[in-house]
Amino acid sequence: MNILLLRPVPSNERFGLGPFFRIEPLGMEYIAAALEAAGHRVTVADLRFSRSAEHYLRSERPGLVGIAGMHALETDNVLALAAAVRRAAPDVPIVIGGHTAAAFPDPFLAADITAVVIDDGELVVPRLVRALEQRAPLSTVPGLVTKGQDGQPVRTAGELGTLALDAVPKPSRRHVDAWRRQYACLAHRPVWLIETARGCPFRCAFCSIWQLHSRSVRERSIESVADDFASVGDEIFVADDLFWYHPARSLELATELKRRKIRKRWILAQSRVDLVARHASLLEAWRPIAKDFDIFFGLEAATDDGLRGLVKDATVSQTEAGIGVARGLGYGVTGNFVIDPAWNEADFERLWAFVDRHRLFQAGFTILTPLPGNYRRGVIEGHAVIYDPMSQAVYDALQLL
Ligand code: B12
Ligand code: SF4
């Protein structure tokens, strides 16, 4: 089958890291690799840089269109793109997948959309394609959510099993070769995204990752990660939710990269301060792998009470220790904080002082907000929280920082 995978153009690039980071659609590249291994023909179009969706619908005549919904902020863009695909190709099945769609499928159950994929795309999409080829009902494909007759979401029955990440060892990156130079993080360009592990065992109140993966972590083998590092360019963003999570395996990976003489110009990884504070020797082993090496830390709050409220399971003294270890070894440190919309001026003053004291010249501030289409308070208290564009008042307050 011909399958067309589309990355929509987000309209809200003003928010958060959006304006500074343009990253390849790695999830769809893994799905493309799984489909190609099963003998299908795939086109991946990153609509930020490629030709239009209508162009690919005409030239590829796909039997299935997939649209990525990674961030909740992109929900409206995904829905608008699905409607445009439906206008141009009235009969083609349209599925939505990606992090936000899998975590919160309800907003995507619109009339134009056939189903939402809520498990690993590498597992579900090839099965879905097989079912379409055999004209079997979608209810026979586990890992989907569709709209039931009463309009309520219905999850398809059956077990998928757990995807071992090495089952699809390398993403099909050639699909984005034509616009690779558009992928950038700040001044680093072109940038490659690498995944070495998926999931996180922690349970931070505001985060959707652990809920989606049930606090599990799956790892790629050392061999497959080292092959991926060897095959990509010099500027790398590591997609892992919690890099260095498994210290023994991380050390083994650093040793293998050094044995293969792999050294990059720049790496950016995301991790926790408590982990880094406890594993200075691991950080020391990784430091030579790149000339410049930046870490994004989820510092979240400037007080122990604040950290407790966010269920961060870390303390401010660990924040201080982690920053110290990282800086001592020559890593660049970026701290990311969560802003509670209920804050008053004193809370902002406290955060301001903390940022100042720790010389966090690179810092990110994200407003805690509830889900679009699901603004009930219980959802916030139940920790199903995502990020939304800032309100003007909070935005103005942040300018002070
Ligand atoms: C890369 C990335 C970014 C990049 C995006 C680059 C770009 N715009 O080009 C940057 C750095 C800009 C970014 C920004 C933000 N991000 Co972000 N980001 C990620 C990250 C680290 C990696 C995504 C990735 O490629 N993963 C690896 C691939 C293999 O996994 P995947 O994408 O999930 O794909 C799988 C499935 O989802 C599915 N799938 C994926 N696509 C498709 C498509 C179809 C058709 C189907 C069927 C299936 C499918 O199959 C794939 C294989 O199994 C994730 C964390 C994570 N590990 O996923 C956070 C994450 C998605 N981001 C998150 C957040 C919070 C943000 C910010 C709000 C941060 C901030 N405070 O500024 C901003 C929002 C920016 C904006 N304006 O929209 C949250 C999600 C929040 C939410 N629910 O919306 C995540 C989960 C991080 C977290 N721990 O909370 N992000
Ligand atoms: S915020 Fe980071 S440490 Fe906390 S659960 Fe999410 S990925 Fe894990």
Side-chain angles (χ1 to χ4, degrees):
M1 186 186 281
N2 276 1
I3 296 124
L4 176 60
L5 299 177
L6 302 173
R7 200 287 185 211
V9 184
S11 52
N12 192 339
E13 289 272 73
R14 183 175 71 99
F15 176 71
L17 294 168
F20 317 113
F21 283 53
R22 300 274 189 282
I23 308 286
E24 66 192 291
L26 185 64
M28 296 204 301
E29 293 167 12
Y30 274 116
I31 296 171
L35 288 168
E36 283 157 358
H40 302 291
R41 190 186 130 95
V42 183
T43 304
V44 178
D46 186 334
L47 297 172
R48 294 171 294 178
F49 315 116
S50 66
R51 300 183 71 171
S52 69
E54 288 77 8
H55 164 83
Y56 295 104
L57 287 166
R58 272 194 308 272
S59 63
E60 304 306 318
R61 302 186 152 277
L64 173 69
V65 174
I67 302 176
M70 184 193 285
H71 297 108
L73 278 168
E74 291 155 23
T75 303
D76 290 346
N77 309 109
V78 171
L79 295 175
L81 179 57
V85 170
R86 179 56 70 235
R87 279 195 297 279
D91 299 322
V92 75
I94 301 174
V95 289
I96 312 296
H99 179 84
T100 192
F104 309 107
D106 298 24
F108 297 98
L109 292 169
D112 302 312
I113 292 163
T114 314
V116 179
V117 173
I118 55 165
D119 211 315
D120 296 303
E122 302 94 321
L123 267 186
V124 182
V125 181
R127 286 180 195 219
L128 174 63
V129 170
R130 205 180 320 134
L132 291 171
E133 283 180 331
Q134 295 171 350
R135 298 181 186 279
L138 291 189
S139 56
T140 62
V141 182
L144 297 179
V145 168
T146 55
K147 205 177 206 166
Q149 279 172 346
D150 58 357
Q152 293 303 308
V154 178
R155 192 184 170 145
T156 51
E159 280 306 311
L160 274 171
T162 305
L163 173 79
L165 297 186
D166 272 0
V168 185
K170 283 190 48 192
S172 207
R173 295 186 193 269
R174 66 180 173 80
H175 291 285
V176 301
D177 280 352
W179 50 81
R180 166 66 63 188
R181 275 206 63 77
Q182 302 295 333
Y183 294 127
C185 297
L186 301 165
H188 301 278
R189 177 193 295 262
V191 163
W192 279 258
L193 189 65
I194 282 192
E195 182 190 62
T196 94
R198 197 175 286 179
C200 176
F202 287 89
R203 49 172 193 153
C204 304
F206 52 86
C207 179
S208 44
I209 280 286
W210 62 270
Q211 302 177 66
L212 186 63
H213 298 288
S214 310
R215 298 182 76 178
S216 69
V217 181
R218 283 169 289 163
E219 299 169 342
R220 296 184 182 281
S221 65
I222 300 294
E223 188 67 15
S224 105
V225 177
D227 286 351
D228 205 15
F229 264 85
S231 73
V232 301
D234 232 11
E235 316 262 1
I236 293 176
F237 179 5
V238 181
D240 299 17
D241 306 299
L242 179 52
F243 197 49
W244 296 308
Y245 157 63
H246 180 176
R249 176 235 184 206
S250 297
L251 189 58
E252 204 185 327
L253 182 55
T255 309
E256 178 60 14
L257 293 175
K258 284 181 195 159
R259 192 189 66 75
R260 295 193 190 194
K261 301 196 168 29
I262 293 174
R263 189 162 191 272
K264 300 295 178 183
R265 160 78 197 83
W266 176 72
I267 296 179
L268 169 62
Q270 310 174 94
S271 195
R272 288 177 55 104
V273 272
D274 51 339
L275 191 158
V276 165
R278 277 198 303 273
H279 297 285
S281 58
L282 175 61
L283 273 275
E284 199 175 347
W286 266 90
R287 186 59 193 88
I289 308 286
K291 181 170 175 289
D292 294 318
F293 206 134
D294 287 326
I295 310 176
F296 262 37
F297 284 120
L299 303 184
E300 326 300 7
T303 62
D304 281 339
D305 271 353
L307 290 171
R308 250 193 308 278
L310 294 169
V311 200
K312 190 68 196 176
D313 292 338
T315 60
V316 170
S317 65
Q318 284 170 323
T319 298
E320 285 162 356
I323 291 176
V325 165
R327 286 214 175 113
L329 292 166
Y331 285 89
V333 169
T334 298
N336 293 293
F337 295 91
V338 174
I339 309 289
D340 188 329
W343 272 11
N344 59 29
E345 223 169 302
D347 296 304
F348 280 97
E349 292 283 357
R350 228 185 331 267
L351 179 60
W352 189 353
F354 187 87
V355 166
D356 220 24
R357 191 161 64 250
H358 295 290
R359 295 177 290 114
L360 292 164
F361 303 126
Q362 298 192 139
F365 306 94
T366 302
I367 318 301
L368 197 60
T369 52
L371 280 172
N374 208 351
Y375 284 93
R376 294 188 317 266
R377 191 166 167 71
V379 174
I380 310 174
E381 285 166 0
H383 305 324
V385 172
I386 57 94
Y387 307 88
D388 230 15
M390 307 174 183
S391 76
Q392 193 59 45
V394 183
Y395 184 81
D396 291 345
L398 284 174
Q399 298 308 299
L400 298 173
L401 297 171

